[in-house]
C-alpha cells in the first residue's frame, strides 16, 4: 500500500485570495502567533509530516489583490523556531532564498534549529522571483535565472559541507584525559567558487539528521534539474493526473542520470482542498469564495493601479474567444453563450461547475465573475467531502503521479481544521497515511536515509560538471557520497 507524504503549506490568513474575507477567517497578521500555534497543535495531533513556510522578500499594494498572504508575514526561520518549542514530533520546513542569503549564517541557523528540535527541521531553497527583493538587499537588479541557479548549486554544495564540519563523534568530551575535541574530525569547507567563497568550519555541531531535508519548487528546466540533482523533496504544480505521472517520471529519470538513488527524490504536489460536510456544502464554500473575490469591473471608474490585469472581463474575453467586456460580471452564463466559447472557454465552464455546482443549464447558472475567478486564480483545487478528497489523493498516489501533497487551506482556521480533522482520518482509514508517527525526525517521516558526512564518505567530494538531459553542462555535486 502506498504511504503518502502529507504536509501543510501554512499561510496564516488563508491561501485563497479572498479567504481572509470569509466569515470567521483570521485576517490580522498581528495575531499570527496564535493561529500558528493552533495550526501546529492540530497538525501534530493529525500526524501530518510537516508544516511548510514559504517566503517573499518584498511587499507592495499589488499583493493585497493578488496574494494577500504575502503583504505581511512572519519570517519562516522565526516561525519554525517558535513552533519547535511548542511541538514535539512534526517536521518544520523553512524557506531561504539562495540569491540573497549568506550560506554560513543559514547553515548555522538551520543546524541549530535541527539540534534544538530533535531533528525535525527542513529547508526549502528558492532562487527568487521578486524583482523588488534586489533593492531590499542592496542590489541594483534581480539576477537572471541561470545566474541565480549557478549560485544555488554552489550554495547547496557549501551548505552540506558546512553542516558536516563536525563528524558525529568529533566532540570527545573525555573529562579524565582533558580531551574535548578530536581536531582530525573537524573539517573546513574551503570552497572558492564563481559566486561563493566560504572557509568554515561551522561552529555548530552536526545536525541530528546529518543534513536537513532540502526542498525545491519550480517549473523551468533549470529548476527541475536542480531539484533532481540536489533536493530531497521536489514541489511541482501539476495540471492533472497524466501530467503528474509524466513530471514525476522525468524528475526521477534526471535524478538517476545524475548518479543519485532516484528513490530518495520525493515528488510533492501542492493542492488546495475545499472540504465540506457534503459535496454541495463544499461547493457552496467555493462559490462564496468566488463571490468574495473582486474583479476589475467592481470599480465603476476602473480598478486600482496595482490590480491584477488578468482579473477582468477584458482578459476573460481573450480566453473565451468572445467579447464579454461590456457585459455585467454577474451576467448568467447561458447555454447559448457557452456555444460561442472557444474550447478553452468551455473547459473553464466545466471547471466552475465541478468546483461550485453551477452549470449553464442548471437552476443556479455560473456567471462571468465565476469564469474570471477560475481563470485568474492559479490553484489546484479539489472540492468535496473528506471521503471524496481522500479518494482523490489515494488515486493520485497509486497511479504514481505523486509521493505526497503540500496542502494549502483557503480559509484559516476553518478549512485547515476541516482537512486535518476530516480528510486525514479518511486517509488513515484507507491505510495510505499512518495513525502514529513512525519516527522521530523529519527524514524518518519522509522515508529518507541519514546521509554520511561528505568530508569522509568515499573521500571528499568536489563540484563536478553534470550534463542535463537537455545537453547543457551544469555544475553539480557528485552524489556517491550522499546516497551510498
Amino acid at each position: 500500500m502506498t504511504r503518502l507524504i502529507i504536509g501543510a503549506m501554512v499561510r496564516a490568513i488563508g491561501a485563497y485570495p479572498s479567504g481572509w474575507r470569509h466569515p470567521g477567517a483570521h485576517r490580522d497578521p498581528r495575531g499570527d502567533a496564535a493561529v500558528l500555534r493552533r495550526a501546529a497543535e492540530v497538525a501534530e495531533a493529525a500526524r501530518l509530516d510537516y508544516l511548510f513556510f514559504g517566503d517573499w522578500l518584498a511587499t507592495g499594494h499589488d499583493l493585497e489583490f493578488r496574494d494577500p498572504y504575502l503583504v505581511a508575514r512572519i519570517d519562516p526561520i522565526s516561525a519554525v523556531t517558535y513552533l519547535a518549542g511548542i511541538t514535539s514530533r512534526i517536521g518544520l520546513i523553512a524557506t531561504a532564498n539562495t540569491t540573497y542569503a549568506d550560506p554560513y549564517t543559514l547553515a548555522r541557523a538551520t543546524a541549530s534549529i535541527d539540534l534544538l528540535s530533535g531533528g525535525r527541521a527542513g529547508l526549502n531553497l528558492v532562487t527568487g522571483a521578486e524583482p523588488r527583493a534586489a533593492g531590499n538587499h542592496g542590489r541594483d537588479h534581480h539576477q537572471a535565472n541561470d545566474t541565480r541557479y549557478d549560485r544555488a548549486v554552489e550554495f547547496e554544495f557549501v551548505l552540506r559541507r558546512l553542516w558536516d564540519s563536525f563528524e558525529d563523534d568529533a566532540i570527545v568530551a573525555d573529562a579524565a584525559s582533558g580531551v574535548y575535541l578530536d581536531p582530525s574530525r573537524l573539517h573546513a569547507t574551503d570552497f572558492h567558487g564563481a559566486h561563493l567563497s566560504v572557509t568554515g568550519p561551522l561552529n555548530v555541531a552536526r545536525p541530528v539528521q546529518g543534513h536537513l531535508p532540502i526542498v525545491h519548487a519550480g517549473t523551468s528546466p533549470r529548476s527541475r534539474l536542480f531539484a533532481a540533482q540536489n533536493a530531497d523533496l521536489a514541489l511541482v504544480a501539476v495540471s492533472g493526473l497524466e501530467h503528474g505521472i509524466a513530471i514525476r517520471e522525468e524528475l526521477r529519470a534526471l535524478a538517476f542520470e545524475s548518479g543519485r538513488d532516484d528513490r530518495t527524490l520525493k515528488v510533492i504536489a501542492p493542492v488546495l482542498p475545499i472540504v465540506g460536510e457534503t459535496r454541495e456544502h463544499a461547493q457552496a464554500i467555493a462559490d462564496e469564495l468566488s463571490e468574495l473575490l473582486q474583479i476589475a469591473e467592481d470599480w465603476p471608474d476602473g480598478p486600482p493601479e496595482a490590480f491584477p490585469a488578468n482579473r477582468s472581463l477584458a482578459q476573460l474575453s481573450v480566453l473565451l474567444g468572445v467579447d464579454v467586456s461590456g457585459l455585467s460580471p454577474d451576467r448568467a452564463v447561458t447555454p447559448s453563450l457557452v456555444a460561442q466559447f472557444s474550447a478553452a472557454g468551455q473547459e473553464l465552464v466545466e471547471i466552475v461547475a465541478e468546483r461550485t455546482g453551477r452549470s449553464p443549464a442548471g437552476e443556479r447558472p455560473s456567471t462571468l465573475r465565476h469564469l474570471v475567478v477560475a481563470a485568474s486564480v492559479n490553484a489546484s483545487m479539489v472540492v468535496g467531502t473528506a471521503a471524496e478528497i481522500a479518494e482523490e489523493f489515494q488515486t493520485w498516489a497509486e497511479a504514481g503521479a505523486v509521493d505526497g501533497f503540500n496542502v494549502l487551506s483557503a480559509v484559516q482556521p476553518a478549512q485547515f481544521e476541516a482537512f486535518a480533522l476530516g480528510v486525514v482520518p479518511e486517509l488513515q482509514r484507507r491505510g495510505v497515511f499512518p495513525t502514529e508517527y513512525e519516527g522521530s525526525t523529519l527524514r524518518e517521516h519522509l522515508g529518507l536515509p541519514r546521509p554520511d558526512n561528505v568530508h569522509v564518505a568515499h573521500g571528499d567530494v568536489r563540484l563536478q560538471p553534470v550534463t542535463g538531459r537537455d545537453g547543457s553542462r551544469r555544475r553539480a555535486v557528485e552524489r556517491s557520497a550522499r546516497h551510498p
Side-chain angles (χ1 to χ4, degrees):
M1 182 69 73
T2 302
R3 193 284 205 198
L4 278 169
I5 295 168
I6 303 289
M9 186 178 290
V10 182
R11 295 175 179 174
I13 67 164
Y16 200 84
S18 61
W20 66 273
R21 299 183 67 193
H22 201 267
H26 171 62
R27 54 180 63 105
D28 187 347
R30 292 170 295 183
D32 281 0
V35 172
L36 297 184
R37 175 186 286 269
R38 174 61 180 166
E41 291 171 348
V42 171
E44 191 163 63
R47 306 299 187 260
L48 294 190
D49 291 311
Y50 59 81
L51 297 174
F52 177 100
F53 293 86
D55 203 12
W56 198 255
L57 298 177
T59 191
H61 186 42
D62 58 312
L63 298 176
E64 173 186 347
F65 308 108
R66 194 186 78 206
D67 295 305
Y69 70 90
L70 293 177
V71 171
R73 60 187 300 170
I74 301 295
D75 163 69
I77 294 289
S78 301
V80 300
T81 303
Y82 167 63
L83 294 179
I86 58 178
T87 57
S88 59
R89 303 298 293 276
I90 195 167
L92 302 164
I93 300 176
T95 294
N97 191 315
T98 61
T99 304
Y100 303 110
D102 171 71
Y104 188 93
T105 303
L106 184 64
R108 190 168 188 242
T110 52
S112 298
I113 295 169
D114 200 57
L115 288 163
L116 294 170
S117 67
R120 296 186 289 122
L123 183 59
N124 176 40
L125 293 180
V126 301
T127 64
E130 170 54 83
R132 289 173 291 194
N136 290 340
H137 292 82
R139 312 284 181 87
D140 293 332
H141 62 277
H142 197 52
Q143 292 180 335
N145 190 61
D146 275 352
T147 302
R148 298 201 309 269
Y149 273 102
D150 289 342
R151 177 182 165 90
V153 169
E154 290 187 7
F155 197 106
E156 182 267 353
F157 177 72
V158 166
L159 200 60
R160 294 185 189 272
R161 289 172 64 85
L162 285 168
W163 284 334
D164 283 347
S165 294
F166 287 84
E167 293 182 36
D168 290 322
D169 53 358
I171 304 295
V172 178
D174 186 342
S177 67
V179 175
Y180 185 73
L181 170 69
D182 181 347
S184 69
R185 296 176 183 176
L186 178 63
H187 303 278
T189 304
D190 286 336
F191 179 85
H192 304 282
H195 302 273
L196 297 171
S197 182
V198 182
T199 55
L202 188 67
N203 63 341
V204 180
R206 193 172 191 238
V208 174
Q209 299 177 96
H211 302 169
L212 280 65
I214 295 290
V215 186
H216 184 66
T219 56
S220 72
R222 190 72 198 275
S223 171
R224 290 182 185 175
L225 184 62
F226 182 83
Q229 294 177 339
N230 303 285
D232 299 293
L233 296 187
L235 302 185
V236 183
V238 295
S239 59
L241 187 64
E242 295 303 319
H243 183 223
I245 293 171
I247 292 296
R248 184 169 179 264
E249 289 179 351
E250 176 190 353
L251 286 167
R252 287 286 185 89
L254 280 169
F256 181 80
E257 292 166 10
S258 299
R260 65 179 285 191
D261 182 349
D262 62 297
R263 294 169 298 179
T264 63
L265 177 63
K266 309 294 184 178
V267 180
I268 310 296
V271 62
L272 195 157
I274 302 292
V275 189
E277 296 176 3
T278 64
R279 182 170 181 79
E280 291 72 25
H281 178 222
Q283 289 175 330
I285 296 171
D287 190 42
E288 186 171 6
L289 289 170
S290 295
E291 295 284 349
L292 290 172
L293 191 63
Q294 295 169 305
I295 68 174
E297 285 69 22
D298 290 330
W299 284 269
D301 298 323
E305 184 177 351
F307 196 79
N310 66 343
R311 203 179 297 169
S312 67
L313 292 179
Q315 193 65 33
L316 178 66
S317 297
V318 176
L319 182 61
L320 299 181
V322 176
D323 186 6
V324 296
S325 58
L327 302 178
S328 165
D330 298 313
R331 159 75 181 269
V333 178
T334 61
S336 59
L337 186 58
V338 173
Q340 304 174 51
F341 290 172
S342 64
Q346 293 183 12
E347 183 179 355
L348 200 59
V349 172
E350 294 174 3
I351 291 173
V352 170
E354 181 180 347
R355 292 180 179 177
T356 68
R358 291 177 176 265
S359 63
E363 294 182 3
R364 296 171 58 250
S366 53
T367 66
L368 293 175
R369 179 185 301 275
H370 288 95
L371 300 186
V372 171
V373 171
S376 60
V377 177
N378 184 22
S380 298
M381 292 177 64
V382 182
V383 180
T385 64
E388 289 170 336
I389 292 170
E391 182 177 3
E392 184 81 359
F393 278 25
Q394 183 177 3
T395 298
W396 277 60
E398 293 181 347
V402 295
D403 294 292
F405 294 94
N406 233 15
V407 177
L408 299 108
S409 297
V411 181
Q412 279 282 15
Q415 278 296 300
F416 179 80
E417 297 189 4
F419 178 84
L421 302 177
V423 179
V424 172
E426 280 289 337
L427 293 169
Q428 293 168 334
R429 185 180 63 80
R430 293 165 181 266
V432 295
F433 194 70
T435 57
E436 296 293 339
Y437 284 113
E438 300 165 322
S440 59
T441 70
L442 178 56
R443 280 191 167 271
E444 290 170 340
H445 297 346
L446 303 176
L448 297 171
R450 188 176 189 267
D452 292 336
N453 190 304
V454 297
H455 295 288
V456 297
H458 308 291
D460 198 2
V461 296
R462 299 294 172 188
L463 207 61
Q464 300 291 339
V466 173
T467 302
R469 299 176 84 189
D470 59 358
S472 59
R473 292 179 68 79
R474 305 297 186 194
R475 303 290 292 178
V477 181
E478 168 63 43
R479 293 293 141 182
S480 60
R482 193 164 308 163
H483 300 295

